Amino acid sequence: MRTLLPVLLAFLVLPSFATEVYRYVDDKGNVVFSDKPAKGAQKITVEPAPATSVVVPPMPVAPAVLDQQPVRPGAGPFVGYQEFLISQPSEGEPLLNTVGDVDVSLNLHPALRADLGHGITVLLDGQPAVEQSARLNITLNNVPRGEHVIEAWVLDNAGQVLMQAAPVRFSLQRPSLLMPGRQQPLSPIPPPLPQPRTTP
C-alpha cells in the first residue's frame, strides 16, 4: 500500500496527454497502477489537471530614505543641548559704535548639530536678525542708538525650539562723526570794556 500513493501521484502529475491509466492486482496482492495494459487490468481515465501558473512576487525593495541628513562621523545620536547662552554683549553693557555694529557671541554645548538641520536664530527687539545660522559669532549692522534686547534660539529643521538662551539687554551709543567726543563748552563772551569819558 506504501507504493500506491507515490505511483498514483506520479500519474496525476504526468502531462495532460497521458490520461489512460491501468489498475490491476499483482500476484502478491498489491494494487498496481500503470500506463501499460496488463492482463485483467482495469482501464481508468484520468482527467488532466487544469493548467496553473505560479507568479513569483518581485523581491521587496527597501524604501528610499528621503530627507535624511548625513551624520558626521563619530557624531552619534542626538541627546539634546545642555547649555546655551549669549556671552557678548553682557547684560546691561553700554556699547559705543558710530555705525551701529554690535558683535554677538554665543556659547552652545554640545556643538550645534547642523547635520540634523539645526540652526541658530538671533532676534533683536523681538525681530529676527539672523535665521537658521550655523555661526556662533555674528555681527548685527546698523543697530539704532538706545536700549535693545537680544534673544537667541536653537531651532530644528521643522522650526521647533530646541533651546533658548536667556535674553540680554544692552544700550548703544552712536556719537556723530562730526563730533566724536564731548566738546568743551565755549567761554562766555566778556562784556565790553568801558569807554573813556571825554569832556566837551
Side-chain angles (χ1 to χ4, degrees), residues 86-167:
I86 302 172
S87 58
Q88 182 184 353
S90 58
E91 176 64 28
E93 180 180 1
L95 302 179
L96 181 66
N97 191 285
T98 57
V99 295
D101 290 344
V102 175
D103 294 327
V104 179
S105 296
L106 308 170
N107 289 338
L108 179 63
H109 180 76
L112 182 70
R113 291 296 299 271
D115 59 296
L116 299 179
H118 299 177
I120 295 175
T121 295
V122 177
L123 295 90
L124 178 66
D125 300 329
Q127 299 298 321
V130 176
E131 296 185 88
Q132 286 299 97
S133 173
R135 300 176 58 187
L136 296 178
N137 297 283
I138 61 175
T139 299
L140 304 180
N141 304 116
N142 198 26
V143 177
R145 59 174 51 89
E147 293 186 353
H148 303 280
V149 177
I150 292 180
E151 300 174 83
W153 301 340
V154 179
L155 306 178
D156 62 12
N157 55 1
Q160 298 295 321
V161 178
L162 300 177
M163 195 161 192
Q164 180 176 358

Side-chain angles (χ1 to χ4, degrees), residues 2-77:
R2 293 181 179 179
T3 61
L4 176 61
L5 184 59
V7 172
L8 181 59
L9 292 177
F11 285 113
L12 291 178
V13 298
L14 290 175
S16 58
F17 55 82
T19 58
E20 294 183 352
V21 178
Y22 298 91
R23 177 184 180 276
Y24 63 93
V25 179
D26 62 8
D27 54 356
K28 296 181 180 180
N30 298 321
V31 178
V32 179
F33 291 87
S34 174
D35 60 342
K36 297 180 179 180
K39 184 178 180 180
Q42 179 184 1
K43 183 178 179 181
I44 300 174
T45 302
V46 179
E47 295 294 333
T52 59
S53 59
V54 178
V55 178
V56 179
M59 293 295 294
V61 180
V65 179
L66 302 178
D67 301 329
Q68 181 176 358
Q69 297 291 337
V71 178
R72 294 176 300 172

